[in-house]
mmCIF file of all heavy atoms in Angstrom:
data_model
loop_
_atom_site.group_PDB
_atom_site.id
_atom_site.type_symbol
_atom_site.label_atom_id
_atom_site.label_comp_id
_atom_site.label_asym_id
_atom_site.label_seq_id
_atom_site.Cartn_x
_atom_site.Cartn_y
_atom_site.Cartn_z
ATOM 1 N N PRO X 11 -7.915 1.695 -5.827
ATOM 2 C CA PRO X 11 -7.702 0.436 -5.094
ATOM 3 C C PRO X 11 -6.370 -0.130 -5.412
ATOM 4 O O PRO X 11 -5.613 0.275 -6.438
ATOM 5 C CB PRO X 11 -8.764 -0.421 -5.748
ATOM 6 C CG PRO X 11 -9.055 0.115 -7.220
ATOM 7 C CD PRO X 11 -8.721 1.615 -7.025
ATOM 8 N N GLY X 12 -5.880 -1.031 -4.536
ATOM 9 C CA GLY X 12 -4.541 -1.619 -4.758
ATOM 10 C C GLY X 12 -4.787 -2.967 -5.547
ATOM 11 O O GLY X 12 -5.694 -3.136 -6.315
ATOM 12 N N ASN X 13 -3.682 -3.886 -5.418
ATOM 13 C CA ASN X 13 -3.833 -5.188 -6.039
ATOM 14 C C ASN X 13 -4.661 -6.134 -5.255
ATOM 15 O O ASN X 13 -5.050 -5.846 -4.101
ATOM 16 C CB ASN X 13 -2.397 -5.715 -6.311
ATOM 17 C CG ASN X 13 -1.643 -5.875 -5.143
ATOM 18 O OD1 ASN X 13 -2.060 -6.662 -4.317
ATOM 19 N ND2 ASN X 13 -0.443 -5.265 -4.918
ATOM 20 N N ASP X 14 -4.890 -7.381 -5.731
ATOM 21 C CA ASP X 14 -5.713 -8.228 -5.007
ATOM 22 C C ASP X 14 -4.980 -9.264 -4.158
ATOM 23 O O ASP X 14 -5.701 -10.209 -3.532
ATOM 24 C CB ASP X 14 -6.546 -9.086 -6.070
ATOM 25 C CG ASP X 14 -5.694 -9.873 -7.081
ATOM 26 O OD1 ASP X 14 -4.512 -9.714 -6.946
ATOM 27 O OD2 ASP X 14 -6.340 -10.499 -7.894
ATOM 28 N N LYS X 15 -3.770 -8.989 -3.897
ATOM 29 C CA LYS X 15 -2.912 -9.910 -3.153
ATOM 30 C C LYS X 15 -2.329 -9.290 -1.889
ATOM 31 O O LYS X 15 -2.158 -9.876 -0.873
ATOM 32 C CB LYS X 15 -1.806 -10.589 -3.984
ATOM 33 C CG LYS X 15 -2.409 -11.522 -4.972
ATOM 34 C CD LYS X 15 -1.241 -12.162 -5.708
ATOM 35 C CE LYS X 15 -1.798 -13.198 -6.856
ATOM 36 N NZ LYS X 15 -0.705 -13.819 -7.584
ATOM 37 N N ARG X 16 -1.978 -7.990 -1.914
ATOM 38 C CA ARG X 16 -1.367 -7.331 -0.920
ATOM 39 C C ARG X 16 -1.793 -5.914 -0.717
ATOM 40 O O ARG X 16 -2.352 -5.277 -1.748
ATOM 41 C CB ARG X 16 0.286 -7.341 -1.031
ATOM 42 C CG ARG X 16 0.862 -8.721 -0.975
ATOM 43 C CD ARG X 16 1.045 -9.168 0.438
ATOM 44 N NE ARG X 16 1.765 -10.414 0.561
ATOM 45 C CZ ARG X 16 1.195 -11.576 0.547
ATOM 46 N NH1 ARG X 16 -0.189 -11.769 0.366
ATOM 47 N NH2 ARG X 16 1.876 -12.740 0.667
ATOM 48 N N TYR X 17 -1.628 -5.332 0.353
ATOM 49 C CA TYR X 17 -2.066 -3.922 0.609
ATOM 50 C C TYR X 17 -0.927 -2.892 -0.073
ATOM 51 O O TYR X 17 -1.266 -1.759 -0.038
ATOM 52 C CB TYR X 17 -2.236 -3.656 2.131
ATOM 53 C CG TYR X 17 -3.429 -4.110 2.650
ATOM 54 C CD1 TYR X 17 -3.486 -5.407 3.381
ATOM 55 C CD2 TYR X 17 -4.754 -3.604 2.370
ATOM 56 C CE1 TYR X 17 -4.648 -5.866 3.932
ATOM 57 C CE2 TYR X 17 -5.861 -4.078 2.904
ATOM 58 C CZ TYR X 17 -5.827 -5.241 3.656
ATOM 59 O OH TYR X 17 -6.960 -5.746 4.216
ATOM 60 N N PHE X 18 0.298 -3.453 -0.285
ATOM 61 C CA PHE X 18 1.394 -2.581 -0.765
ATOM 62 C C PHE X 18 1.044 -2.289 -2.386
ATOM 63 O O PHE X 18 0.938 -3.272 -3.070
ATOM 64 C CB PHE X 18 2.628 -3.235 -0.644
ATOM 65 C CG PHE X 18 3.841 -2.417 -1.186
ATOM 66 C CD1 PHE X 18 4.529 -1.600 -0.288
ATOM 67 C CD2 PHE X 18 4.156 -2.388 -2.536
ATOM 68 C CE1 PHE X 18 5.499 -0.787 -0.805
ATOM 69 C CE2 PHE X 18 5.259 -1.690 -2.871
ATOM 70 C CZ PHE X 18 5.987 -0.940 -2.019
ATOM 71 N N PHE X 19 0.987 -1.088 -2.675
ATOM 72 C CA PHE X 19 0.967 -0.723 -4.077
ATOM 73 C C PHE X 19 1.386 0.791 -4.211
ATOM 74 O O PHE X 19 1.608 1.521 -3.311
ATOM 75 C CB PHE X 19 -0.541 -1.013 -4.662
ATOM 76 C CG PHE X 19 -1.683 0.016 -4.128
ATOM 77 C CD1 PHE X 19 -2.069 1.123 -4.795
ATOM 78 C CD2 PHE X 19 -2.076 -0.268 -2.824
ATOM 79 C CE1 PHE X 19 -3.003 1.920 -4.331
ATOM 80 C CE2 PHE X 19 -3.123 0.680 -2.290
ATOM 81 C CZ PHE X 19 -3.572 1.806 -3.120
ATOM 82 N N THR X 20 1.467 1.177 -5.528
ATOM 83 C CA THR X 20 1.895 2.554 -5.847
ATOM 84 C C THR X 20 0.833 3.196 -6.658
ATOM 85 O O THR X 20 0.095 2.565 -7.461
ATOM 86 C CB THR X 20 3.326 2.687 -6.405
ATOM 87 O OG1 THR X 20 3.244 1.988 -7.771
ATOM 88 C CG2 THR X 20 4.283 1.965 -5.595
ATOM 89 N N HIS X 21 0.869 4.531 -6.734
ATOM 90 C CA HIS X 21 -0.038 5.319 -7.543
ATOM 91 C C HIS X 21 0.676 6.633 -7.807
ATOM 92 O O HIS X 21 1.348 7.248 -6.901
ATOM 93 C CB HIS X 21 -1.380 5.561 -6.901
ATOM 94 C CG HIS X 21 -2.308 6.238 -7.764
ATOM 95 N ND1 HIS X 21 -2.833 5.690 -8.891
ATOM 96 C CD2 HIS X 21 -3.001 7.480 -7.645
ATOM 97 C CE1 HIS X 21 -3.804 6.509 -9.384
ATOM 98 N NE2 HIS X 21 -3.716 7.581 -8.735
ATOM 99 N N GLU X 22 0.554 7.303 -8.996
ATOM 100 C CA GLU X 22 1.050 8.568 -9.334
ATOM 101 C C GLU X 22 -0.041 9.551 -9.588
ATOM 102 O O GLU X 22 -0.991 9.261 -10.295
ATOM 103 C CB GLU X 22 1.944 8.291 -10.683
ATOM 104 C CG GLU X 22 2.799 9.477 -10.955
ATOM 105 C CD GLU X 22 3.841 9.105 -12.099
ATOM 106 O OE1 GLU X 22 4.848 8.321 -11.894
ATOM 107 O OE2 GLU X 22 3.624 9.681 -13.257
ATOM 108 N N ILE X 23 0.262 10.721 -9.095
ATOM 109 C CA ILE X 23 -0.684 11.836 -9.306
ATOM 110 C C ILE X 23 0.226 13.082 -9.624
ATOM 111 O O ILE X 23 1.135 13.413 -8.965
ATOM 112 C CB ILE X 23 -1.435 12.224 -7.966
ATOM 113 C CG1 ILE X 23 -2.227 11.010 -7.509
ATOM 114 C CG2 ILE X 23 -2.327 13.393 -8.213
ATOM 115 C CD1 ILE X 23 -2.800 11.284 -6.222
ATOM 116 N N ASN X 24 -0.085 13.694 -10.845
ATOM 117 C CA ASN X 24 0.705 14.884 -11.302
ATOM 118 C C ASN X 24 2.312 14.571 -11.292
ATOM 119 O O ASN X 24 3.014 15.551 -10.881
ATOM 120 C CB ASN X 24 0.382 16.021 -10.432
ATOM 121 C CG ASN X 24 -1.102 16.510 -10.489
ATOM 122 O OD1 ASN X 24 -1.775 15.918 -11.320
ATOM 123 N ND2 ASN X 24 -1.517 17.391 -9.635
ATOM 124 N N SER X 25 2.639 13.440 -11.629
ATOM 125 C CA SER X 25 3.967 12.890 -11.692
ATOM 126 C C SER X 25 4.595 12.702 -10.357
ATOM 127 O O SER X 25 5.888 12.405 -10.238
ATOM 128 C CB SER X 25 4.866 13.835 -12.645
ATOM 129 O OG SER X 25 5.224 15.043 -11.914
ATOM 130 N N TYR X 26 3.985 12.832 -9.317
ATOM 131 C CA TYR X 26 4.413 12.521 -7.857
ATOM 132 C C TYR X 26 3.991 11.050 -7.556
ATOM 133 O O TYR X 26 2.828 10.664 -7.731
ATOM 134 C CB TYR X 26 3.905 13.501 -6.861
ATOM 135 C CG TYR X 26 4.460 14.834 -6.988
ATOM 136 C CD1 TYR X 26 3.867 15.860 -7.651
ATOM 137 C CD2 TYR X 26 5.730 15.129 -6.467
ATOM 138 C CE1 TYR X 26 4.396 17.186 -7.867
ATOM 139 C CE2 TYR X 26 6.159 16.461 -6.537
ATOM 140 C CZ TYR X 26 5.590 17.454 -7.262
ATOM 141 O OH TYR X 26 6.047 18.730 -7.414
ATOM 142 N N LYS X 27 4.959 10.241 -6.905
ATOM 143 C CA LYS X 27 4.635 8.920 -6.581
ATOM 144 C C LYS X 27 4.150 8.832 -5.158
ATOM 145 O O LYS X 27 4.632 9.463 -4.273
ATOM 146 C CB LYS X 27 5.714 8.050 -6.745
ATOM 147 C CG LYS X 27 5.650 6.568 -6.428
ATOM 148 C CD LYS X 27 6.876 5.720 -6.562
ATOM 149 C CE LYS X 27 7.299 5.569 -8.011
ATOM 150 N NZ LYS X 27 8.448 4.650 -8.138
ATOM 151 N N PHE X 28 3.053 8.026 -5.093
ATOM 152 C CA PHE X 28 2.521 7.696 -3.686
ATOM 153 C C PHE X 28 2.720 6.163 -3.489
ATOM 154 O O PHE X 28 2.396 5.391 -4.337
ATOM 155 C CB PHE X 28 1.110 8.128 -3.604
ATOM 156 C CG PHE X 28 0.595 9.533 -3.551
ATOM 157 C CD1 PHE X 28 0.882 10.306 -4.739
ATOM 158 C CD2 PHE X 28 0.493 10.125 -2.313
ATOM 159 C CE1 PHE X 28 0.558 11.603 -4.696
ATOM 160 C CE2 PHE X 28 0.152 11.548 -2.390
ATOM 161 C CZ PHE X 28 0.227 12.286 -3.499
ATOM 162 N N ILE X 29 3.319 5.799 -2.282
ATOM 163 C CA ILE X 29 3.547 4.457 -2.094
ATOM 164 C C ILE X 29 2.750 4.115 -0.890
ATOM 165 O O ILE X 29 2.794 4.639 0.249
ATOM 166 C CB ILE X 29 5.103 4.179 -1.671
ATOM 167 C CG1 ILE X 29 5.862 4.620 -2.939
ATOM 168 C CG2 ILE X 29 5.379 2.815 -1.314
ATOM 169 C CD1 ILE X 29 7.438 4.482 -2.548
ATOM 170 N N MET X 30 1.802 3.198 -1.030
ATOM 171 C CA MET X 30 0.811 2.770 0.029
ATOM 172 C C MET X 30 1.396 1.462 0.553
ATOM 173 O O MET X 30 1.459 0.481 0.078
ATOM 174 C CB MET X 30 -0.481 2.520 -0.487
ATOM 175 C CG MET X 30 -1.387 3.780 -0.623
ATOM 176 S SD MET X 30 -0.551 5.096 -1.680
ATOM 177 C CE MET X 30 -0.952 4.553 -3.186
ATOM 178 N N MET X 31 1.725 1.539 1.923
ATOM 179 C CA MET X 31 2.200 0.353 2.686
ATOM 180 C C MET X 31 0.953 -0.293 3.395
ATOM 181 O O MET X 31 0.006 0.367 3.483
ATOM 182 C CB MET X 31 3.307 0.689 3.681
ATOM 183 C CG MET X 31 4.463 1.400 3.089
ATOM 184 S SD MET X 31 5.787 1.774 4.315
ATOM 185 C CE MET X 31 6.204 0.066 4.884
ATOM 186 N N GLY X 32 1.276 -1.487 3.865
ATOM 187 C CA GLY X 32 0.104 -2.220 4.669
ATOM 188 C C GLY X 32 0.580 -3.504 5.245
ATOM 189 O O GLY X 32 1.531 -4.175 4.622
ATOM 190 N N ALA X 33 0.058 -3.973 6.232
ATOM 191 C CA ALA X 33 0.370 -5.338 6.936
ATOM 192 C C ALA X 33 0.392 -6.336 5.905
ATOM 193 O O ALA X 33 -0.529 -6.553 5.128
ATOM 194 C CB ALA X 33 -0.473 -5.540 8.084
ATOM 195 N N ASP X 34 1.355 -7.293 6.024
ATOM 196 C CA ASP X 34 1.442 -8.454 5.159
ATOM 197 C C ASP X 34 0.717 -9.615 5.904
ATOM 198 O O ASP X 34 0.747 -10.777 5.197
ATOM 199 C CB ASP X 34 2.902 -8.848 4.858
ATOM 200 C CG ASP X 34 3.480 -7.887 3.759
ATOM 201 O OD1 ASP X 34 2.728 -7.574 2.849
ATOM 202 O OD2 ASP X 34 4.594 -7.468 3.947
ATOM 203 N N ARG X 35 0.313 -9.409 7.006
ATOM 204 C CA ARG X 35 -0.562 -10.481 7.735
ATOM 205 C C ARG X 35 -1.349 -9.794 8.782
ATOM 206 O O ARG X 35 -1.045 -8.792 9.217
ATOM 207 C CB ARG X 35 0.315 -11.588 8.272
ATOM 208 C CG ARG X 35 1.150 -11.214 9.386
ATOM 209 C CD ARG X 35 2.093 -12.419 9.941
ATOM 210 N NE ARG X 35 2.876 -12.010 11.001
ATOM 211 C CZ ARG X 35 4.124 -12.546 11.165
ATOM 212 N NH1 ARG X 35 4.681 -13.466 10.347
ATOM 213 N NH2 ARG X 35 4.848 -12.226 12.294
ATOM 214 N N SER X 36 -2.363 -10.528 9.154
ATOM 215 C CA SER X 36 -3.242 -9.861 10.149
ATOM 216 C C SER X 36 -2.596 -9.786 11.490
ATOM 217 O O SER X 36 -1.745 -10.619 11.947
ATOM 218 C CB SER X 36 -4.710 -10.636 10.350
ATOM 219 O OG SER X 36 -5.366 -10.485 9.235
ATOM 220 N N SER X 37 -2.705 -8.623 12.171
ATOM 221 C CA SER X 37 -2.202 -8.397 13.505
ATOM 222 C C SER X 37 -3.027 -7.507 14.300
ATOM 223 O O SER X 37 -3.814 -6.724 13.741
ATOM 224 C CB SER X 37 -0.764 -7.963 13.555
ATOM 225 O OG SER X 37 -0.795 -6.610 12.861
ATOM 226 N N PHE X 38 -2.967 -7.491 15.657
ATOM 227 C CA PHE X 38 -3.978 -6.832 16.384
ATOM 228 C C PHE X 38 -3.661 -5.358 16.567
ATOM 229 O O PHE X 38 -4.593 -4.456 16.366
ATOM 230 C CB PHE X 38 -4.022 -7.384 17.854
ATOM 231 C CG PHE X 38 -5.208 -6.742 18.674
ATOM 232 C CD1 PHE X 38 -6.496 -7.283 18.457
ATOM 233 C CD2 PHE X 38 -5.036 -5.809 19.576
ATOM 234 C CE1 PHE X 38 -7.476 -6.801 19.109
ATOM 235 C CE2 PHE X 38 -6.043 -5.300 20.298
ATOM 236 C CZ PHE X 38 -7.402 -5.867 20.142
ATOM 237 N N GLU X 39 -2.413 -4.924 16.531
ATOM 238 C CA GLU X 39 -2.054 -3.515 16.803
ATOM 239 C C GLU X 39 -0.975 -2.965 15.836
ATOM 240 O O GLU X 39 -1.133 -1.910 15.177
ATOM 241 C CB GLU X 39 -1.815 -3.169 18.230
ATOM 242 C CG GLU X 39 -1.575 -1.797 18.527
ATOM 243 C CD GLU X 39 -1.238 -1.593 20.057
ATOM 244 O OE1 GLU X 39 -2.271 -1.715 20.839
ATOM 245 O OE2 GLU X 39 -0.073 -1.293 20.461
ATOM 246 N N SER X 40 0.146 -3.707 15.763
ATOM 247 C CA SER X 40 1.340 -3.294 14.955
ATOM 248 C C SER X 40 0.990 -3.769 13.472
ATOM 249 O O SER X 40 -0.131 -4.021 13.117
ATOM 250 C CB SER X 40 2.436 -4.065 15.427
ATOM 251 O OG SER X 40 2.322 -5.425 15.359
ATOM 252 N N SER X 41 2.007 -3.588 12.740
ATOM 253 C CA SER X 41 1.719 -3.912 11.189
ATOM 254 C C SER X 41 2.997 -4.622 10.639
ATOM 255 O O SER X 41 3.993 -4.017 10.446
ATOM 256 C CB SER X 41 1.729 -2.486 10.394
ATOM 257 O OG SER X 41 1.442 -2.744 9.092
#
């Protein structure tokens, strides 16, 4: 899971970084 305020967060697996992006507000189709 990410943090409790935004969809943006990071996670590391086997020393490789994963960056999870996400909309900062609700929108119908774009982000």
Side-chain angles (χ1 to χ4, degrees):
N13 61 59
D14 59 357
K15 293 183 179 180
R16 291 287 184 268
Y17 285 100
F18 181 94
F19 69 103
T20 65
H21 184 67
E22 192 171 287
I23 304 175
N24 298 355
S25 78
Y26 290 93
K27 181 181 290 185
F28 289 76
I29 300 174
M30 277 57 76
M31 299 180 66
D34 285 320
R35 66 187 184 205
S36 295
S37 57
F38 191 77
E39 186 178 285
S40 59
S41 181

